[in-house]
Amino acid sequence: MADPSALYRLLYVSENRIAGDVAHVAREIEAILNASRRNNDALGITGALIFNCGFFAQVLEGPRDAVERIFAVIRNDTRHSKIQVMSAAEVEDREFPNWTMAYIGRSPSWEKALGWIRNDTHFAPDERCDRLFKIVMEMAYDSELSPDRTFAAPGKS
Ligand SMILES: Cc1cc2nc3c(=O)[nH]c(=O)nc-3n(C[C@H](O)[C@H](O)[C@H](O)COP(=O)(O)O)c2cc1C
């Protein structure tokens, strides 16, 4: 049986359903991030959220039961749809130990990098997943170096 306290990482992509003008979208993203930081810290969850108007991609890592609990809430959120789990597995270490939820907003490189998820059926699911995870990681690390593009809140230290 799966160990509910084992360190677990889940990566999914979804389609944005937040409509309206830029200010409204920004307020909704802010609300998501506020909820994430409040709840994730209490649950021992860290991760990263990427948003590019059309898509979300999110990494959640923490104790398996906590990740599954918060993901059950997230997947019922009507601000996104077509949730597609790219990977979900026990892991040895956290990749985002310092962020309750790193946020990476719209950027040209992200738009370009994500194009293949939509358009390229050539890659096997595992390969797509590895590539996506790599992109999320790279963007999270990049954003640490250029904080003007992002809003990365520290987690527990
Ligand atoms: C793309 C997306 C990612 C989200 N990620 C998180 C998250 O990591 N943690 C979280 O608590 N809520 C997240 N939410 C918000 C939840 O769906 C829900 O609104 C929130 O947990 C409610 O928090 P509250 O009960 O404290 O008001 C996310 C929502 C969306 C649309």
Side-chain angles (χ1 to χ4, degrees), residues 40-97:
N40 295 6
D41 193 35
L43 290 166
I45 290 176
T46 55
L49 176 70
I50 286 182
F51 172 67
N52 85 330
C53 292
F55 282 103
F56 288 102
Q58 188 173 31
V59 178
L60 296 163
E61 54 189 21
R64 183 183 184 129
D65 56 348
V67 170
E68 287 179 341
R69 185 142 40 108
I70 201 66
F71 186 56
V73 174
I74 295 170
R75 71 180 318 154
N76 277 328
D77 195 312
T78 54
R79 288 172 288 197
H80 62 168
S81 66
K82 297 194 187 161
I83 290 126
Q84 209 184 325
V85 175
M86 306 294 285
S87 70
E90 287 183 17
V91 289
E92 291 293 318
D93 301 296
R94 289 179 193 255
E95 292 291 352
F96 302 93

Side-chain angles (χ1 to χ4, degrees), residues 103-144:
Y103 174 62
I104 300 139
R106 187 176 188 171
S107 82
S109 50
W110 168 233
E111 307 251 328
K112 194 161 157 241
L114 259 201
W116 58 265
I117 288 190
R118 254 211 150 135
N119 305 324
D120 205 331
T121 50
H122 162 79
F123 294 103
D126 276 0
E127 208 176 337
R128 274 159 47 110
C129 173
D130 286 352
R131 283 169 58 111
L132 175 63
F133 186 62
K134 207 161 155 265
I135 291 168
V136 174
M137 297 267 305
E138 277 169 8
M139 301 201 86
Y141 288 129
D142 267 9
S143 68
E144 201 175 20

